[in-house]
Amino acid sequence: MIPRYSRPEMVKIWSAETKFKIWFEIEAHACDAMANLGLIPEENAAAVWNAKDVKFDVARINEIEAKTKHDVIAFLTHLAEHIGSEEARFVHQGMTSSDVLDTCLNIQLVQASDLLIKDIEQLLAALKRRALEHKMDVRIGRSHGIHAEPTTMGLTFARFYAEMDRNLKRMHVAKDEISTGALSGAVGTFANLDPAVEKYVCEKLGLTPEPISTQVIPRDRHAAFFATLGIIASSIENIATEIRHMQRTEVLEAEEFFSEGQKGSSAMPHKRNPVLTENLTGLARLIRMAVVPALENVTLWHERDISHSSVERNIAPDTTVNLDFALNRLANVIDNLVIYPDNMLKNMNKFKGLVMSQRVLLALTQAGASREDAYKLVQRNAMKVWEDNKDFQDELLSDKDVRHFLSEEDIREKFDLAYHTKSVDTIFKRVFGK
């Protein structure tokens, strides 16, 4: 990913230096395991660890690969340059390239998962704080973009919290599913490699041995992983889109923090645009872009081909780096989001009580009117608000057919905002547990 959308800790996971360090650890632990089994001399296994503090020369490895046309062989050649060709004689014995590549990829994905889990936890903390802060701040709920009934800003944050909490659980599952390693040799039969070697290496690296690998770790695991990242990206966009709508000039119930000296437009000095959440919408598209290729990677020829390899070399770093950046950006947006309770009430009252129509409808049916007649009575008064800017409560009070069923006190009581917030505590207890 370009530096603009990257954070150093995640980028480091995907650096060539990190990759070669993991490759070394896989090979060194495998040598230890083989020595323990009496398959290779202990002194050769010990000699491999002489390179444990080596900073592998990426340029040199690339130079070798340019000739060998094979990345793992290039690395092994460079390793032998450090520890000696005789000492390196048993390195990679019985192994195939995928044993190193696939196990390394999963280690990197596990490390990336740990960062993403922390990111989600940070976002959850921000959402919870803002939900509690605005728990009872009433705003209009909208369906189809049209005023519906009152809700609260706290409930808006709470529903995003619940969604992201589900994503946290999904991320833990995705991490567990990708936490496997395979050192099973050509076509995965262990013909030239004892299964105990795989078990030993996986234990050392914090992985679980893949139950059956066909020279490669099954790619349904990776498909599930990237699908999870895609879902999280969609949740990010869901939150970002709500903020973008709230920041529209004619709504302005909330807006991204606008810092001192910030510029909104090169042409129009008055502009304060939702640039961060628009950016998050774009990043979500990039993250989801990885999902279909990951699904298509599940299908490989026979025991192995490498049609998946070029895909994963791109989507693994790019998608995790993007998501890491997006989660952190969104947490910052939520932490600093400016809320306008007065504007929320102003918008609520824009159509002079119209949003209380359902309460009146229910009251009429409870008072004896048929549902069809009640709907007609309420709608004919509601249309006067839409079309003639009338006050809904006044129209109901002056409608003799409505008054046949409802007293003045009955009608006025239906416009009490507290009616719509009476279950907020119950919902918050469901979401936050208290």
Side-chain angles (χ1 to χ4, degrees), residues 10 13-14 22 102-118 171-181 205-208 222 225 320:
M10 184 65 84
I13 291 172
W14 299 106
I22 296 171
D102 278 16
T103 302
C104 175
L105 174 62
N106 280 12
I107 289 170
Q108 290 171 301
L109 290 175
V110 168
Q111 291 176 355
S113 297
D114 288 335
L115 288 184
L116 294 173
I117 286 167
K118 290 179 183 176
M171 195 65 239
H172 279 290
V173 171
K175 176 190 170 183
D176 288 343
E177 187 160 7
I178 211 69
S179 298
T180 66
L205 297 174
L207 302 175
T208 300
H222 302 76
F225 182 88
T320 54

PDB file of all heavy atoms in Angstrom, residues 10 13-14 22 102-118 171-181 205-208 222 225 320:
ATOM      1  N   MET A  10       1.811  -2.389  10.909  1.00  0.00           N
ATOM      2  CA  MET A  10       1.242  -3.378   9.990  1.00  0.00           C
ATOM      3  C   MET A  10       2.131  -3.545   8.766  1.00  0.00           C
ATOM      4  O   MET A  10       2.330  -4.668   8.272  1.00  0.00           O
ATOM      5  CB  MET A  10      -0.169  -2.974   9.563  1.00  0.00           C
ATOM      6  CG  MET A  10      -0.866  -3.995   8.673  1.00  0.00           C
ATOM      7  SD  MET A  10      -1.213  -5.576   9.497  1.00  0.00           S
ATOM      8  CE  MET A  10      -2.752  -5.194  10.336  1.00  0.00           C
ATOM      9  N   ILE A  13       4.999  -6.041   9.185  1.00  0.00           N
ATOM     10  CA  ILE A  13       4.669  -7.466   9.108  1.00  0.00           C
ATOM     11  C   ILE A  13       4.914  -8.007   7.705  1.00  0.00           C
ATOM     12  O   ILE A  13       5.342  -9.148   7.519  1.00  0.00           O
ATOM     13  CB  ILE A  13       3.206  -7.709   9.533  1.00  0.00           C
ATOM     14  CG1 ILE A  13       3.036  -7.457  11.033  1.00  0.00           C
ATOM     15  CG2 ILE A  13       2.734  -9.117   9.174  1.00  0.00           C
ATOM     16  CD1 ILE A  13       1.600  -7.483  11.507  1.00  0.00           C
ATOM     17  N   TRP A  14       4.665  -7.147   6.702  1.00  0.00           N
ATOM     18  CA  TRP A  14       4.729  -7.594   5.309  1.00  0.00           C
ATOM     19  C   TRP A  14       6.031  -7.217   4.616  1.00  0.00           C
ATOM     20  O   TRP A  14       6.174  -7.390   3.406  1.00  0.00           O
ATOM     21  CB  TRP A  14       3.534  -7.035   4.540  1.00  0.00           C
ATOM     22  CG  TRP A  14       2.253  -7.519   5.133  1.00  0.00           C
ATOM     23  CD1 TRP A  14       1.375  -6.808   5.885  1.00  0.00           C
ATOM     24  CD2 TRP A  14       1.725  -8.842   5.057  1.00  0.00           C
ATOM     25  NE1 TRP A  14       0.324  -7.598   6.283  1.00  0.00           N
ATOM     26  CE2 TRP A  14       0.517  -8.856   5.792  1.00  0.00           C
ATOM     27  CE3 TRP A  14       2.153 -10.016   4.444  1.00  0.00           C
ATOM     28  CZ2 TRP A  14      -0.256  -9.990   5.925  1.00  0.00           C
ATOM     29  CZ3 TRP A  14       1.383 -11.159   4.566  1.00  0.00           C
ATOM     30  CH2 TRP A  14       0.187 -11.135   5.309  1.00  0.00           C
ATOM     31  N   ILE A  22      11.035 -14.969   9.206  1.00  0.00           N
ATOM     32  CA  ILE A  22      10.115 -16.073   9.485  1.00  0.00           C
ATOM     33  C   ILE A  22      10.561 -17.326   8.733  1.00  0.00           C
ATOM     34  O   ILE A  22      10.529 -18.443   9.280  1.00  0.00           O
ATOM     35  CB  ILE A  22       8.671 -15.681   9.110  1.00  0.00           C
ATOM     36  CG1 ILE A  22       8.181 -14.527   9.993  1.00  0.00           C
ATOM     37  CG2 ILE A  22       7.733 -16.881   9.253  1.00  0.00           C
ATOM     38  CD1 ILE A  22       6.856 -13.938   9.557  1.00  0.00           C
ATOM     39  N   ASP A 102       3.613 -21.185   2.839  1.00  0.00           N
ATOM     40  CA  ASP A 102       2.269 -21.202   3.431  1.00  0.00           C
ATOM     41  C   ASP A 102       2.310 -20.991   4.939  1.00  0.00           C
ATOM     42  O   ASP A 102       1.481 -20.274   5.507  1.00  0.00           O
ATOM     43  CB  ASP A 102       1.566 -22.520   3.112  1.00  0.00           C
ATOM     44  CG  ASP A 102       0.936 -22.505   1.731  1.00  0.00           C
ATOM     45  OD1 ASP A 102       1.299 -21.623   0.929  1.00  0.00           O
ATOM     46  OD2 ASP A 102       0.087 -23.378   1.447  1.00  0.00           O
ATOM     47  N   THR A 103       3.274 -21.639   5.588  1.00  0.00           N
ATOM     48  CA  THR A 103       3.384 -21.466   7.036  1.00  0.00           C
ATOM     49  C   THR A 103       3.734 -20.021   7.367  1.00  0.00           C
ATOM     50  O   THR A 103       3.183 -19.428   8.306  1.00  0.00           O
ATOM     51  CB  THR A 103       4.422 -22.436   7.606  1.00  0.00           C
ATOM     52  OG1 THR A 103       4.044 -23.785   7.291  1.00  0.00           O
ATOM     53  CG2 THR A 103       4.526 -22.288   9.121  1.00  0.00           C
ATOM     54  N   CYS A 104       4.632 -19.440   6.589  1.00  0.00           N
ATOM     55  CA  CYS A 104       4.993 -18.031   6.797  1.00  0.00           C
ATOM     56  C   CYS A 104       3.790 -17.122   6.581  1.00  0.00           C
ATOM     57  O   CYS A 104       3.543 -16.213   7.388  1.00  0.00           O
ATOM     58  CB  CYS A 104       6.125 -17.639   5.850  1.00  0.00           C
ATOM     59  SG  CYS A 104       6.553 -15.888   5.909  1.00  0.00           S
ATOM     60  N   LEU A 105       3.062 -17.345   5.496  1.00  0.00           N
ATOM     61  CA  LEU A 105       1.889 -16.496   5.224  1.00  0.00           C
ATOM     62  C   LEU A 105       0.917 -16.526   6.390  1.00  0.00           C
ATOM     63  O   LEU A 105       0.413 -15.485   6.823  1.00  0.00           O
ATOM     64  CB  LEU A 105       1.189 -16.955   3.944  1.00  0.00           C
ATOM     65  CG  LEU A 105      -0.131 -16.245   3.621  1.00  0.00           C
ATOM     66  CD1 LEU A 105       0.073 -14.745   3.407  1.00  0.00           C
ATOM     67  CD2 LEU A 105      -0.789 -16.880   2.394  1.00  0.00           C
ATOM     68  N   ASN A 106       0.666 -17.704   6.922  1.00  0.00           N
ATOM     69  CA  ASN A 106      -0.286 -17.797   8.032  1.00  0.00           C
ATOM     70  C   ASN A 106       0.241 -17.128   9.293  1.00  0.00           C
ATOM     71  O   ASN A 106      -0.521 -16.532  10.064  1.00  0.00           O
ATOM     72  CB  ASN A 106      -0.653 -19.249   8.294  1.00  0.00           C
ATOM     73  CG  ASN A 106      -1.707 -19.740   7.315  1.00  0.00           C
ATOM     74  OD1 ASN A 106      -1.998 -19.072   6.327  1.00  0.00           O
ATOM     75  ND2 ASN A 106      -2.283 -20.897   7.574  1.00  0.00           N
ATOM     76  N   ILE A 107       1.556 -17.214   9.518  1.00  0.00           N
ATOM     77  CA  ILE A 107       2.126 -16.488  10.656  1.00  0.00           C
ATOM     78  C   ILE A 107       1.910 -14.992  10.481  1.00  0.00           C
ATOM     79  O   ILE A 107       1.516 -14.283  11.426  1.00  0.00           O
ATOM     80  CB  ILE A 107       3.631 -16.807  10.797  1.00  0.00           C
ATOM     81  CG1 ILE A 107       3.824 -18.242  11.281  1.00  0.00           C
ATOM     82  CG2 ILE A 107       4.299 -15.832  11.771  1.00  0.00           C
ATOM     83  CD1 ILE A 107       5.261 -18.720  11.229  1.00  0.00           C
ATOM     84  N   GLN A 108       2.132 -14.491   9.281  1.00  0.00           N
ATOM     85  CA  GLN A 108       1.931 -13.065   9.014  1.00  0.00           C
ATOM     86  C   GLN A 108       0.463 -12.673   9.181  1.00  0.00           C
ATOM     87  O   GLN A 108       0.156 -11.608   9.729  1.00  0.00           O
ATOM     88  CB  GLN A 108       2.427 -12.715   7.612  1.00  0.00           C
ATOM     89  CG  GLN A 108       3.942 -12.765   7.477  1.00  0.00           C
ATOM     90  CD  GLN A 108       4.399 -12.622   6.042  1.00  0.00           C
ATOM     91  OE1 GLN A 108       4.043 -13.418   5.177  1.00  0.00           O
ATOM     92  NE2 GLN A 108       5.174 -11.573   5.773  1.00  0.00           N
ATOM     93  N   LEU A 109      -0.436 -13.531   8.733  1.00  0.00           N
ATOM     94  CA  LEU A 109      -1.862 -13.235   8.884  1.00  0.00           C
ATOM     95  C   LEU A 109      -2.287 -13.257  10.356  1.00  0.00           C
ATOM     96  O   LEU A 109      -3.134 -12.465  10.774  1.00  0.00           O
ATOM     97  CB  LEU A 109      -2.697 -14.229   8.072  1.00  0.00           C
ATOM     98  CG  LEU A 109      -2.609 -14.087   6.545  1.00  0.00           C
ATOM     99  CD1 LEU A 109      -3.380 -15.200   5.854  1.00  0.00           C
ATOM    100  CD2 LEU A 109      -3.111 -12.717   6.087  1.00  0.00           C
ATOM    101  N   VAL A 110      -1.689 -14.149  11.126  1.00  0.00           N
ATOM    102  CA  VAL A 110      -1.966 -14.165  12.570  1.00  0.00           C
ATOM    103  C   VAL A 110      -1.473 -12.875  13.214  1.00  0.00           C
ATOM    104  O   VAL A 110      -2.171 -12.254  14.028  1.00  0.00           O
ATOM    105  CB  VAL A 110      -1.318 -15.394  13.237  1.00  0.00           C
ATOM    106  CG1 VAL A 110      -1.347 -15.258  14.760  1.00  0.00           C
ATOM    107  CG2 VAL A 110      -2.049 -16.671  12.814  1.00  0.00           C
ATOM    108  N   GLN A 111      -0.268 -12.451  12.869  1.00  0.00           N
ATOM    109  CA  GLN A 111       0.266 -11.198  13.409  1.00  0.00           C
ATOM    110  C   GLN A 111      -0.604 -10.012  12.996  1.00  0.00           C
ATOM    111  O   GLN A 111      -0.875  -9.119  13.810  1.00  0.00           O
ATOM    112  CB  GLN A 111       1.705 -10.998  12.924  1.00  0.00           C
ATOM    113  CG  GLN A 111       2.695 -11.985  13.507  1.00  0.00           C
ATOM    114  CD  GLN A 111       4.088 -11.829  12.928  1.00  0.00           C
ATOM    115  OE1 GLN A 111       4.312 -11.028  12.017  1.00  0.00           O
ATOM    116  NE2 GLN A 111       5.044 -12.595  13.443  1.00  0.00           N
ATOM    117  N   ALA A 112      -1.044 -10.017  11.749  1.00  0.00           N
ATOM    118  CA  ALA A 112      -1.940  -8.951  11.280  1.00  0.00           C
ATOM    119  C   ALA A 112      -3.263  -8.990  12.037  1.00  0.00           C
ATOM    120  O   ALA A 112      -3.821  -7.940  12.390  1.00  0.00           O
ATOM    121  CB  ALA A 112      -2.179  -9.098   9.776  1.00  0.00           C
ATOM    122  N   SER A 113      -3.749 -10.200  12.308  1.00  0.00           N
ATOM    123  CA  SER A 113      -5.003 -10.351  13.058  1.00  0.00           C
ATOM    124  C   SER A 113      -4.901  -9.725  14.438  1.00  0.00           C
ATOM    125  O   SER A 113      -5.839  -9.076  14.915  1.00  0.00           O
ATOM    126  CB  SER A 113      -5.375 -11.824  13.187  1.00  0.00           C
ATOM    127  OG  SER A 113      -5.618 -12.402  11.934  1.00  0.00           O
ATOM    128  N   ASP A 114      -3.772  -9.935  15.094  1.00  0.00           N
ATOM    129  CA  ASP A 114      -3.587  -9.368  16.431  1.00  0.00           C
ATOM    130  C   ASP A 114      -3.697  -7.840  16.400  1.00  0.00           C
ATOM    131  O   ASP A 114      -4.307  -7.239  17.294  1.00  0.00           O
ATOM    132  CB  ASP A 114      -2.233  -9.788  17.002  1.00  0.00           C
ATOM    133  CG  ASP A 114      -2.187 -11.256  17.392  1.00  0.00           C
ATOM    134  OD1 ASP A 114      -3.256 -11.828  17.667  1.00  0.00           O
ATOM    135  OD2 ASP A 114      -1.085 -11.826  17.412  1.00  0.00           O
ATOM    136  N   LEU A 115      -3.118  -7.226  15.375  1.00  0.00           N
ATOM    137  CA  LEU A 115      -3.226  -5.767  15.251  1.00  0.00           C
ATOM    138  C   LEU A 115      -4.660  -5.350  14.945  1.00  0.00           C
ATOM    139  O   LEU A 115      -5.166  -4.374  15.525  1.00  0.00           O
ATOM    140  CB  LEU A 115      -2.296  -5.262  14.143  1.00  0.00           C
ATOM    141  CG  LEU A 115      -0.797  -5.284  14.413  1.00  0.00           C
ATOM    142  CD1 LEU A 115      -0.049  -4.664  13.240  1.00  0.00           C
ATOM    143  CD2 LEU A 115      -0.450  -4.542  15.699  1.00  0.00           C
ATOM    144  N   LEU A 116      -5.329  -6.075  14.071  1.00  0.00           N
ATOM    145  CA  LEU A 116      -6.704  -5.724  13.707  1.00  0.00           C
ATOM    146  C   LEU A 116      -7.648  -5.887  14.896  1.00  0.00           C
ATOM    147  O   LEU A 116      -8.571  -5.091  15.078  1.00  0.00           O
ATOM    148  CB  LEU A 116      -7.176  -6.586  12.532  1.00  0.00           C
ATOM    149  CG  LEU A 116      -6.437  -6.341  11.212  1.00  0.00           C
ATOM    150  CD1 LEU A 116      -6.864  -7.363  10.156  1.00  0.00           C
ATOM    151  CD2 LEU A 116      -6.671  -4.915  10.704  1.00  0.00           C
ATOM    152  N   ILE A 117      -7.412  -6.894  15.706  1.00  0.00           N
ATOM    153  CA  ILE A 117      -8.225  -7.083  16.914  1.00  0.00           C
ATOM    154  C   ILE A 117      -8.063  -5.894  17.858  1.00  0.00           C
ATOM    155  O   ILE A 117      -9.037  -5.376  18.408  1.00  0.00           O
ATOM    156  CB  ILE A 117      -7.860  -8.415  17.593  1.00  0.00           C
ATOM    157  CG1 ILE A 117      -8.432  -9.585  16.771  1.00  0.00           C
ATOM    158  CG2 ILE A 117      -8.381  -8.464  19.032  1.00  0.00           C
ATOM    159  CD1 ILE A 117      -7.893 -10.941  17.168  1.00  0.00           C
ATOM    160  N   LYS A 118      -6.829  -5.429  18.040  1.00  0.00           N
ATOM    161  CA  LYS A 118      -6.594  -4.240  18.861  1.00  0.00           C
ATOM    162  C   LYS A 118      -7.291  -3.017  18.267  1.00  0.00           C
ATOM    163  O   LYS A 118      -7.844  -2.185  18.990  1.00  0.00           O
ATOM    164  CB  LYS A 118      -5.088  -3.972  18.987  1.00  0.00           C
ATOM    165  CG  LYS A 118      -4.334  -4.974  19.842  1.00  0.00           C
ATOM    166  CD  LYS A 118      -2.848  -4.630  19.887  1.00  0.00           C
ATOM    167  CE  LYS A 118      -2.058  -5.647  20.682  1.00  0.00           C
ATOM    168  NZ  LYS A 118      -0.591  -5.349  20.648  1.00  0.00           N
ATOM    169  N   MET A 171     -13.451 -11.726  13.878  1.00  0.00           N
ATOM    170  CA  MET A 171     -12.012 -11.598  13.688  1.00  0.00           C
ATOM    171  C   MET A 171     -11.264 -12.645  14.500  1.00  0.00           C
ATOM    172  O   MET A 171     -10.267 -13.217  14.036  1.00  0.00           O
ATOM    173  CB  MET A 171     -11.571 -10.183  14.080  1.00  0.00           C
ATOM    174  CG  MET A 171     -10.194  -9.790  13.606  1.00  0.00           C
ATOM    175  SD  MET A 171     -10.059  -9.682  11.811  1.00  0.00           S
ATOM    176  CE  MET A 171      -8.765 -10.865  11.511  1.00  0.00           C
ATOM    177  N   HIS A 172     -11.744 -12.909  15.711  1.00  0.00           N
ATOM    178  CA  HIS A 172     -11.124 -13.961  16.525  1.00  0.00           C
ATOM    179  C   HIS A 172     -11.274 -15.323  15.850  1.00  0.00           C
ATOM    180  O   HIS A 172     -10.326 -16.126  15.831  1.00  0.00           O
ATOM    181  CB  HIS A 172     -11.743 -13.991  17.919  1.00  0.00           C
ATOM    182  CG  HIS A 172     -11.190 -12.961  18.857  1.00  0.00           C
ATOM    183  ND1 HIS A 172      -9.912 -13.029  19.359  1.00  0.00           N
ATOM    184  CD2 HIS A 172     -11.741 -11.833  19.390  1.00  0.00           C
ATOM    185  CE1 HIS A 172      -9.680 -11.999  20.164  1.00  0.00           C
ATOM    186  NE2 HIS A 172     -10.773 -11.257  20.198  1.00  0.00           N
ATOM    187  N   VAL A 173     -12.452 -15.587  15.297  1.00  0.00           N
ATOM    188  CA  VAL A 173     -12.672 -16.859  14.591  1.00  0.00           C
ATOM    189  C   VAL A 173     -11.767 -16.948  13.363  1.00  0.00           C
ATOM    190  O   VAL A 173     -11.155 -17.992  13.094  1.00  0.00           O
ATOM    191  CB  VAL A 173     -14.158 -17.002  14.184  1.00  0.00           C
ATOM    192  CG1 VAL A 173     -14.352 -18.207  13.273  1.00  0.00           C
ATOM    193  CG2 VAL A 173     -15.038 -17.132  15.424  1.00  0.00           C
ATOM    194  N   ALA A 174     -11.674 -15.842  12.619  1.00  0.00           N
ATOM    195  CA  ALA A 174     -10.831 -15.828  11.422  1.00  0.00           C
ATOM    196  C   ALA A 174      -9.373 -16.070  11.775  1.00  0.00           C
ATOM    197  O   ALA A 174      -8.656 -16.794  11.068  1.00  0.00           O
ATOM    198  CB  ALA A 174     -10.985 -14.491  10.696  1.00  0.00           C
ATOM    199  N   LYS A 175      -8.931 -15.474  12.869  1.00  0.00           N
ATOM    200  CA  LYS A 175      -7.552 -15.692  13.308  1.00  0.00           C
ATOM    201  C   LYS A 175      -7.321 -17.159  13.663  1.00  0.00           C
ATOM    202  O   LYS A 175      -6.310 -17.759  13.273  1.00  0.00           O
ATOM    203  CB  LYS A 175      -7.233 -14.810  14.522  1.00  0.00           C
ATOM    204  CG  LYS A 175      -5.837 -15.044  15.093  1.00  0.00           C
ATOM    205  CD  LYS A 175      -5.626 -14.358  16.428  1.00  0.00           C
ATOM    206  CE  LYS A 175      -4.321 -14.808  17.077  1.00  0.00           C
ATOM    207  NZ  LYS A 175      -4.104 -14.207  18.410  1.00  0.00           N
ATOM    208  N   ASP A 176      -8.252 -17.747  14.405  1.00  0.00           N
ATOM    209  CA  ASP A 176      -8.108 -19.154  14.791  1.00  0.00           C
ATOM    210  C   ASP A 176      -8.049 -20.055  13.552  1.00  0.00           C
ATOM    211  O   ASP A 176      -7.257 -21.007  13.498  1.00  0.00           O
ATOM    212  CB  ASP A 176      -9.276 -19.582  15.678  1.00  0.00           C
ATOM    213  CG  ASP A 176      -9.195 -18.977  17.070  1.00  0.00           C
ATOM    214  OD1 ASP A 176      -8.103 -18.499  17.449  1.00  0.00           O
ATOM    215  OD2 ASP A 176     -10.220 -18.969  17.773  1.00  0.00           O
ATOM    216  N   GLU A 177      -8.878 -19.732  12.561  1.00  0.00           N
ATOM    217  CA  GLU A 177      -8.935 -20.586  11.375  1.00  0.00           C
ATOM    218  C   GLU A 177      -7.664 -20.502  10.542  1.00  0.00           C
ATOM    219  O   GLU A 177      -7.283 -21.473   9.884  1.00  0.00           O
ATOM    220  CB  GLU A 177     -10.150 -20.214  10.521  1.00  0.00           C
ATOM    221  CG  GLU A 177     -10.380 -21.170   9.363  1.00  0.00           C
ATOM    222  CD  GLU A 177     -11.789 -21.130   8.813  1.00  0.00           C
ATOM    223  OE1 GLU A 177     -12.563 -20.263   9.242  1.00  0.00           O
ATOM    224  OE2 GLU A 177     -12.102 -21.965   7.947  1.00  0.00           O
ATOM    225  N   ILE A 178      -7.005 -19.366  10.586  1.00  0.00           N
ATOM    226  CA  ILE A 178      -5.805 -19.179   9.781  1.00  0.00           C
ATOM    227  C   ILE A 178      -4.543 -19.580  10.542  1.00  0.00           C
ATOM    228  O   ILE A 178      -3.434 -19.561   9.980  1.00  0.00           O
ATOM    229  CB  ILE A 178      -5.714 -17.710   9.305  1.00  0.00           C
ATOM    230  CG1 ILE A 178      -5.017 -17.623   7.941  1.00  0.00           C
ATOM    231  CG2 ILE A 178      -5.046 -16.811  10.320  1.00  0.00           C
ATOM    232  CD1 ILE A 178      -5.818 -18.188   6.807  1.00  0.00           C
ATOM    233  N   SER A 179      -4.684 -19.980  11.793  1.00  0.00           N
ATOM    234  CA  SER A 179      -3.517 -20.272  12.640  1.00  0.00           C
ATOM    235  C   SER A 179      -3.019 -21.699  12.482  1.00  0.00           C
ATOM    236  O   SER A 179      -2.811 -22.429  13.458  1.00  0.00           O
ATOM    237  CB  SER A 179      -3.868 -19.989  14.118  1.00  0.00           C
ATOM    238  OG  SER A 179      -4.196 -18.646  14.315  1.00  0.00           O
ATOM    239  N   THR A 180      -2.846 -22.116  11.245  1.00  0.00           N
ATOM    240  CA  THR A 180      -2.335 -23.459  10.994  1.00  0.00           C
ATOM    241  C   THR A 180      -1.028 -23.386  10.214  1.00  0.00           C
ATOM    242  O   THR A 180      -0.761 -22.424   9.508  1.00  0.00           O
ATOM    243  CB  THR A 180      -3.338 -24.318  10.197  1.00  0.00           C
ATOM    244  OG1 THR A 180      -3.491 -23.754   8.886  1.00  0.00           O
ATOM    245  CG2 THR A 180      -4.679 -24.391  10.891  1.00  0.00           C
ATOM    246  N   GLY A 181      -0.232 -24.435  10.344  1.00  0.00           N
ATOM    247  CA  GLY A 181       1.007 -24.538   9.589  1.00  0.00           C
ATOM    248  C   GLY A 181       1.097 -25.904   8.945  1.00  0.00           C
ATOM    249  O   GLY A 181       0.431 -26.853   9.364  1.00  0.00           O
ATOM    250  N   LEU A 205       6.091 -22.056  16.722  1.00  0.00           N
ATOM    251  CA  LEU A 205       5.621 -20.829  16.056  1.00  0.00           C
ATOM    252  C   LEU A 205       4.190 -20.452  16.433  1.00  0.00           C
ATOM    253  O   LEU A 205       3.628 -19.508  15.876  1.00  0.00           O
ATOM    254  CB  LEU A 205       5.743 -20.996  14.542  1.00  0.00           C
ATOM    255  CG  LEU A 205       7.184 -21.197  14.032  1.00  0.00           C
ATOM    256  CD1 LEU A 205       7.180 -21.493  12.543  1.00  0.00           C
ATOM    257  CD2 LEU A 205       8.044 -19.981  14.350  1.00  0.00           C
ATOM    258  N   GLY A 206       3.603 -21.183  17.378  1.00  0.00           N
ATOM    259  CA  GLY A 206       2.260 -20.844  17.844  1.00  0.00           C
ATOM    260  C   GLY A 206       1.150 -21.203  16.887  1.00  0.00           C
ATOM    261  O   GLY A 206       0.087 -20.564  16.885  1.00  0.00           O
ATOM    262  N   LEU A 207       1.366 -22.227  16.080  1.00  0.00           N
ATOM    263  CA  LEU A 207       0.368 -22.664  15.110  1.00  0.00           C
ATOM    264  C   LEU A 207      -0.130 -24.066  15.446  1.00  0.00           C
ATOM    265  O   LEU A 207       0.459 -24.775  16.264  1.00  0.00           O
ATOM    266  CB  LEU A 207       0.957 -22.669  13.702  1.00  0.00           C
ATOM    267  CG  LEU A 207       1.526 -21.350  13.168  1.00  0.00           C
ATOM    268  CD1 LEU A 207       2.182 -21.568  11.808  1.00  0.00           C
ATOM    269  CD2 LEU A 207       0.437 -20.281  13.083  1.00  0.00           C
ATOM    270  N   THR A 208      -1.192 -24.465  14.789  1.00  0.00           N
ATOM    271  CA  THR A 208      -1.706 -25.826  14.872  1.00  0.00           C
ATOM    272  C   THR A 208      -1.386 -26.544  13.570  1.00  0.00           C
ATOM    273  O   THR A 208      -1.563 -25.964  12.493  1.00  0.00           O
ATOM    274  CB  THR A 208      -3.238 -25.813  15.079  1.00  0.00           C
ATOM    275  OG1 THR A 208      -3.537 -25.130  16.294  1.00  0.00           O
ATOM    276  CG2 THR A 208      -3.796 -27.231  15.136  1.00  0.00           C
ATOM    277  N   HIS A 222      -8.228 -19.232   3.968  1.00  0.00           N
ATOM    278  CA  HIS A 222      -7.881 -17.867   3.592  1.00  0.00           C
ATOM    279  C   HIS A 222      -9.101 -17.127   3.049  1.00  0.00           C
ATOM    280  O   HIS A 222      -9.267 -15.927   3.276  1.00  0.00           O
ATOM    281  CB  HIS A 222      -6.757 -17.883   2.558  1.00  0.00           C
ATOM    282  CG  HIS A 222      -5.528 -18.593   3.048  1.00  0.00           C
ATOM    283  ND1 HIS A 222      -5.448 -19.972   3.113  1.00  0.00           N
ATOM    284  CD2 HIS A 222      -4.344 -18.118   3.515  1.00  0.00           C
ATOM    285  CE1 HIS A 222      -4.262 -20.314   3.598  1.00  0.00           C
ATOM    286  NE2 HIS A 222      -3.572 -19.216   3.849  1.00  0.00           N
ATOM    287  N   PHE A 225     -10.986 -15.926   5.914  1.00  0.00           N
ATOM    288  CA  PHE A 225     -10.266 -14.804   6.530  1.00  0.00           C
ATOM    289  C   PHE A 225     -10.557 -13.503   5.792  1.00  0.00           C
ATOM    290  O   PHE A 225     -10.949 -12.501   6.394  1.00  0.00           O
ATOM    291  CB  PHE A 225      -8.766 -15.101   6.536  1.00  0.00           C
ATOM    292  CG  PHE A 225      -7.940 -14.027   7.195  1.00  0.00           C
ATOM    293  CD1 PHE A 225      -7.711 -14.053   8.558  1.00  0.00           C
ATOM    294  CD2 PHE A 225      -7.395 -12.985   6.450  1.00  0.00           C
ATOM    295  CE1 PHE A 225      -6.956 -13.058   9.178  1.00  0.00           C
ATOM    296  CE2 PHE A 225      -6.631 -11.993   7.059  1.00  0.00           C
ATOM    297  CZ  PHE A 225      -6.418 -12.024   8.423  1.00  0.00           C
ATOM    298  N   THR A 320      -4.859  -6.058   4.652  1.00  0.00           N
ATOM    299  CA  THR A 320      -4.655  -5.880   6.094  1.00  0.00           C
ATOM    300  C   THR A 320      -4.139  -4.482   6.416  1.00  0.00           C
ATOM    301  O   THR A 320      -4.541  -3.886   7.420  1.00  0.00           O
ATOM    302  CB  THR A 320      -3.686  -6.941   6.644  1.00  0.00           C
ATOM    303  OG1 THR A 320      -2.469  -6.920   5.878  1.00  0.00           O
ATOM    304  CG2 THR A 320      -4.304  -8.336   6.564  1.00  0.00           C
TER     305      THR A 320
END
